[in-house]
Amino acid sequence: MNILERYHAMEYGPAPEARNEADAWLAGRDFSKALFIGGAWKAAGGGKTFDTSEPSSGKLLAKVSDANAADIDAAVAAAAKALPKWSASSGYQRAKVLYAIGRAMQRHQRLFAVLETIDNGKPIRESRDIDVPLAIRHFIHHAGWAQALDRDFPGQKGVGVVGQIIPWNFPLLMLAWKIAPALAAGCTVVLKPAEFTPLTAILFAEICERAGVPKGVVNIMQGGPDAGAAIVNHPGIQKIAFTGSSEVGKIIRKATAGSGKKLSLELGGKSAFIVFEDADLDSAVEGLVDGIWFNQGQVCCAGSRLLVQEGIADALIAKVKTRMSRLRVGSPLDKNTDIGPLVDLTQLDRVKGLIAEGARQGAVCWQPDATLPSSGYYHLPTLATGVSPANILAQEEVFGPVLATMTFRNTEEAIELANNTRYGLAASVWSENVNLALHVAPQLKAGVVWVNGTNMFDAACGFGGYRESGFGREGGREGMFEYLAAKLPLGPIIKPATSSVQPVEQADGVAIDRTAKLFIGGKQVRPDGNYSLAVATAKGKLAGEVGLGSRKDIRDAVSAARACKSWPEATAYNRSQVLYYLAENLSGRSEEFAARLTELTGANAKAARDEVELSVERLFLYAGLADKFEGRVHQPPARAVTLALHEPVGVVGIVAPDNQPLLGFISLVAPALAMGNTVVAVPSERYPLLATDLYQVIEYSDVPAGAVNIVTGRTAELAGVLAKHDDVDGLWLVADADTCAKAEAESIGNLKRVWSGNGRSLDWASEEAAGDVFLRRAIEVKNVWVPYGD
Ligand code: NAD
């Protein structure tokens, strides 16, 4: 008998990845009672079920309870009931529960992996080696955060009951990303998996029962968009955490506007995979296989746009094609399979449709010569070349195994092409020159950048997007903040401005005409409409007039803010000095500002002096923090360091309050500037002269033109223009409730980060109205992964 004969004659036992255990689990469960509410298994109130089937065959796996609004009510009630005890439990108690979950999952690791593969279609190698171990790591890592809460997040408390909605592409991993930080923070949760992939969440709920999670702390609801919407709109929920498409993310942003719910959105992407000519091409090709064909390309951060430097394009494409020809497409339960089926027929049809449209628009789509299994939702890996930047394959998230290729000539062009997308989730940079890679990484508008790598994740490193890829981070410190809230010193409730009474009589001593203009691009300019707004003294007389800013003025101000590159690119030390100088110059004119405060607000002399003094102090504070609120370095369990860089949000619109009008204005503008943002500020409608008096102070203080722009006028109107402007990246609103709610709803165009007081101002004199809470709003955390070793 030769070796080959021996090999064929050998008897094999079942592989650990065999489906027997999973099938036994499926057969032994009653899926008509699949809602896990308050620690009990319930049928859906309406008795409805939905089908979940196996993507590799199309066969039905289970008919699962489909929750209706009343079921969601019950789950929220259970979570609310469990909240007081859970949030009051010690960090140690919560840590023990999180650790127990992680350990119990470890004991059933293989079942989780096989079940995930059966339900989702992803290759077993991925569910076994990536999804499940990372999910477990998330729980064990967050056990630590539960105990470190007081130490690392002083003054912060869990937000309360949390509604969580997740997609089907990483069902268990997304569940872990959601539930682990929420439990660590002391929140209770109502989570809804996606309707294509309900199974591992059900197994997870069983784990919660075994791991001693108190009843009601974790509630798992099954269903589709209606159940999701019932969670989003439920008044008993304090935070919504959503992962899914940008389209649904926008619906949720709109639905939660004005509700005061905290919101994090992890949405789609169109991530660039940039290969420079000095890259190690063989490594880049392997990276690409992981980047775009991992999970059949159904990955939010898939490197779906290959940008390759011209000189190496032909060589790289040839290597990619050779590699693609060797990818094995087939049963996801086979350990040798690289590419399994897509999750559902609808998804398969969508991918085919997008490829056809891409080809119609001029792309050349190539596929290896391979035979697909006769049943199931399989699709061959596809390479599109000749893709123009406007081609649908370069712009739309395909969410399938399709790579769109473009070439670039130099670094600037690579960055421009990479950023030519409405998304901003991730990017990969391939170059043997680490200087070049680290020069490019900060210029990419993406929440995660992998240097010479791709799809690296860890529980200690934040993950999340810029732009329409959503806001908020999951994982690490940043992720914990999404489930915590600081107690802010509340100020007055803000009423909508009334503009009926117009003072006409000049106040005593106001002899010369004093019409303040707008401050745009470092210049004082007349408002476009050539209208003015009269400003009254505390006694109702005319104190002066300011320009009545309009839509056009806001647009000009946003352009000026966007054009100002020197401020975001300045060193933090440089920004710090400018802010100190601003403080110094304000201090030099403190009597004048105090008199203005008294004249306009009626504050007594001491209160006015105090407000000016505190404003100077606050500028000093942010000048000092400009070069101290820095990022971190993470050391994930991989041969890589992760640089969590603090980057400015971009152009930030600020709508400032009436109460403490100078201090309130400075308390908002200064932290935004300190972190390198450029600002379009709308000062208090009632007391705008305090901001217009600042023009000269700003002009003397070496603030570059366009870094601060001030547009006076009607708060509600200007807030609306800022909210709808797609080149504004962040919007901070201290305005009446209606203006805040409308602006939140209108912010969906580019999903700008909105921070609103929901109709409530702060007591700006309080120490808690300054510091990290504000600085955190002024930054995006970008995680740059830098591997090391040969
Ligand atoms: P989807 O937006 O269609 O659905 C996501 C979830 O939202 C599902 O549970 C669904 O039932 C629910 N849902 C649908 N409509 C809803 C509504 N109106 N109100 C409330 N809930 C609703 O997305 P999908 O097709 O399941 O997942 C794919 C998308 O998820 C892709 O765009 C992908 O990029 C994104 N994704 C993002 C990340 C990330 O971290 N950024 C991670 C994974 C997936």
Side-chain angles (χ1 to χ4, degrees):
M1 211 184 233
N2 64 29
I3 289 181
L4 195 61
E5 284 162 349
R6 244 175 225 284
Y7 179 78
H8 285 302
M10 275 196 297
E11 282 190 11
Y12 295 93
E17 291 77 17
R19 57 184 297 157
N20 324 25
E21 262 209 57
D23 282 337
W25 182 82
L26 282 165
R29 260 221 139 264
D30 178 1
F31 290 98
S32 70
K33 288 193 182 139
L35 307 182
F36 187 62
I37 303 176
W41 292 98
K42 299 269 169 67
K48 264 175 66 182
T49 59
F50 64 92
D51 293 351
T52 183
S53 51
E54 194 169 348
S56 62
S57 64
K59 283 191 196 133
L60 179 73
L61 287 168
K63 287 183 164 300
V64 179
S65 324
D66 190 352
N68 65 15
D71 300 320
I72 301 295
D73 266 348
V76 174
K81 191 170 165 210
L83 183 69
K85 200 161 168 204
W86 181 247
S87 60
S89 63
S90 72
Y92 174 47
Q93 280 168 316
R94 291 201 301 279
K96 281 195 291 187
V97 170
L98 280 157
Y99 180 68
I101 294 175
R103 295 290 287 154
M105 286 173 77
Q106 259 169 350
R107 288 195 292 276
H108 299 278
Q109 203 159 342
R110 201 68 71 156
L111 178 57
F112 269 115
V114 176
L115 204 54
E116 195 76 308
T117 284
I118 290 177
D119 203 15
N120 167 281
K122 60 175 67 206
I124 186 73
R125 242 182 23 226
E126 295 177 8
S127 46
R128 183 194 65 192
D129 299 345
I130 298 169
D131 295 49
V132 178
L134 274 177
I136 293 167
R137 156 117 176 106
H138 229 76
F139 281 100
I140 293 180
H141 176 78
H142 281 84
W145 281 128
Q147 233 171 329
L149 215 55
D150 293 342
R151 193 195 76 144
D152 282 71
F153 304 93
Q156 303 267 340
K157 274 194 68 116
V159 286
V161 175
V162 178
Q164 305 179 315
I165 299 166
I166 56 173
W168 44 260
N169 58 343
F170 291 90
L172 184 70
L173 187 58
M174 292 301 104
L175 172 149
W177 283 19
K178 295 274 177 290
I179 293 185
L183 297 198
C187 301
T188 56
V189 308
V190 175
L191 175 133
K192 188 194 85 62
E195 54 275 39
F196 290 150
T197 51
L199 298 182
T200 45
I202 295 173
L203 179 59
F204 176 81
E206 290 181 1
I207 293 285
C208 288
E209 286 181 304
R210 287 181 221 158
V213 179
K215 289 183 171 48
V217 168
V218 173
N219 303 277
I220 308 275
M221 305 305 287
Q222 303 287 353
D226 289 347
I231 292 176
V232 167
N233 296 318
H234 202 290
I237 285 177
Q238 282 81 47
K239 180 200 157 82
I240 298 292
F242 172 77
T243 298
S245 58
S246 294
E247 193 190 346
V248 176
K250 288 184 180 191
I251 295 175
I252 292 177
R253 166 68 288 189
K254 208 166 170 184
T256 53
S259 68
K261 284 180 187 142
K262 205 173 156 102
L263 180 63
S264 51
L265 300 174
E266 300 285 351
L267 309 175
K270 193 76 205 174
S271 301
F273 190 101
I274 308 168
V275 186
F276 284 97
E277 59 193 3
D278 66 349
D280 171 349
L281 293 197
D282 291 324
S283 301
V285 171
E286 285 316 304
L288 207 47
V289 170
D290 273 348
I292 180 64
W293 291 300
F294 172 52
N295 199 13
Q296 292 72 249
Q298 303 167 124
V299 181
C300 51
C301 51
S304 54
R305 285 185 302 146
L306 168 63
L307 311 181
V308 51
Q309 197 154 10
E310 256 173 18
I312 51 155
D314 290 346
L316 183 71
I317 297 293
K319 279 178 187 282
V320 172
K321 285 185 174 172
T322 307
R323 184 70 177 87
M324 283 172 77
S325 307
R326 300 204 177 113
L327 290 172
R328 288 176 183 235
V329 185
S331 166
L333 280 171
D334 182 335
K335 280 177 284 188
N336 294 315
T337 290
D338 296 305
I339 299 195
L342 302 191
V343 74
D344 189 71
L345 187 58
T346 50
Q347 201 60 21
L348 180 63
D349 289 343
R350 184 171 174 274
V351 171
K352 285 182 180 165
L354 282 165
I355 293 175
E357 181 56 25
R360 207 189 57 74
Q361 293 180 8
V364 178
C365 296
W366 181 89
Q367 293 174 337
D369 195 12
T371 321
L372 292 181
S374 55
S375 63
Y377 313 129
Y378 291 91
H379 195 285
L380 285 173
T382 304
L383 176 72
T385 49
V387 179
S388 69
N391 189 293
I392 196 163
L393 296 177
Q395 291 298 331
E396 282 297 308
E397 183 181 44
V398 178
F399 228 56
V402 184
L403 177 65
T405 308
M406 282 166 274
T407 59
F408 64 87
R409 279 168 296 186
N410 52 36
T411 308
E412 290 67 41
E413 203 172 88
I415 294 166
E416 200 182 314
L417 270 177
N419 289 337
N420 179 22
T421 165
R422 61 196 172 101
Y423 294 112
L425 194 51
S428 291
V429 181
W430 292 77
S431 165
E432 288 299 286
N433 178 355
V434 75
N435 297 346
L436 173 67
L438 292 181
H439 167 70
V440 170
Q443 298 183 66
L444 298 173
K445 296 278 170 223
V448 183
V449 178
W450 296 291
V451 172
N452 293 329
T454 189
N455 280 339
M456 290 183 261
F457 311 101
D458 184 53
C461 307
F463 181 89
Y466 283 31
R467 300 176 166 175
E468 290 185 42
S469 290
F471 41 77
R473 294 287 180 267
E474 296 195 293
R477 276 177 70 77
E478 301 99 273
M480 283 301 296
F481 278 116
E482 299 298 329
Y483 291 92
L484 295 167
K487 204 164 174 313
L488 287 170
L490 292 181
I493 290 172
I494 306 173
K495 296 196 198 81
T498 47
S499 50
S500 49
V501 191
Q502 289 286 308
V504 284
E505 196 186 329
Q506 295 270 61
D508 295 344
V510 180
I512 319 162
D513 173 39
R514 294 171 42 160
T515 303
K517 296 178 184 162
L518 312 179
F519 190 65
I520 297 178
K523 296 199 187 79
Q524 299 194 29
V525 295
R526 279 184 211 292
D528 181 65
N530 262 319
Y531 282 105
S532 300
L533 188 65
V535 180
T537 65
K539 295 184 177 140
K541 302 226 171 132
L542 185 68
E545 290 183 309
V546 293
L548 185 65
S550 64
R551 187 165 165 267
K552 170 77 168 61
D553 299 309
I554 291 283
R555 298 190 78 83
D556 290 347
V558 172
S559 300
R562 178 62 69 198
C564 173
K565 300 275 180 261
S566 55
W567 187 251
E569 285 170 10
T571 64
Y573 177 44
N574 186 248
R575 288 199 298 270
S576 157
Q577 289 181 83
V578 171
L579 289 173
Y580 274 129
Y581 197 22
L582 200 61
E584 218 180 286
N585 287 329
L586 177 59
S587 174
R589 293 178 54 178
S590 53
E591 281 185 25
E592 190 189 315
F593 273 88
R596 180 65 107 182
L597 273 168
T598 300
E599 178 198 14
L600 296 181
T601 67
N604 68 34
K606 178 171 180 316
R609 270 201 312 276
D610 285 351
E611 183 170 339
V612 178
E613 185 47 42
L614 259 178
S615 303
V616 174
E617 185 183 329
R618 200 135 290 170
L619 276 170
F620 245 69
L621 174 76
Y622 287 115
L625 292 178
D627 61 358
K628 292 173 194 64
F629 190 70
E630 292 185 300
R632 293 179 173 235
V633 177
H634 300 300
Q635 294 165 279
R639 292 208 304 168
V641 283
T642 310
L643 315 173
L645 305 177
H646 284 185
E647 294 191 344
V649 170
V651 174
V652 175
I654 290 177
V655 176
D658 289 346
N659 68 310
Q660 300 154 298
L662 178 66
L663 181 60
F665 184 86
I666 283 176
S667 297
L668 291 163
V669 172
L673 286 178
M675 292 295 104
N677 298 283
T678 55
V679 169
V680 176
V682 174
S684 153
E685 179 173 333
R686 173 84 180 81
Y687 308 117
L689 291 171
L690 284 156
T692 62
D693 286 353
L694 280 172
Y695 295 171
Q696 284 178 347
V697 181
I698 296 170
E699 280 167 344
Y700 300 152
S701 307
D702 296 341
V703 178
V708 187
N709 305 275
I710 299 174
V711 179
T712 49
R714 304 271 181 226
T715 297
E717 183 190 334
L718 300 181
V721 181
L722 281 168
K724 278 187 251 172
H725 199 307
D726 283 351
D727 209 23
V728 172
D729 304 296
L731 178 57
W732 301 356
L733 290 155
V734 188
D736 64 278
D738 191 41
T739 299
C740 291
K742 277 199 184 125
E744 284 182 349
E746 286 170 346
S747 70
I748 58 169
N750 66 340
L751 280 174
K752 55 182 66 65
R753 291 93 182 91
V754 183
W755 184 23
S756 106
N758 269 305
R760 195 85 193 243
S761 190
L762 297 184
D763 171 9
W764 300 102
S766 160
E767 261 179 42
E768 278 110 49
D772 286 10
V773 178
F774 291 76
L775 292 169
R776 237 185 336 272
R777 293 283 167 182
I779 56 149
E780 295 268 17
V781 184
K782 172 184 279 174
N783 279 278
V784 180
W785 287 69
V786 188
Y788 53 80
D790 269 342

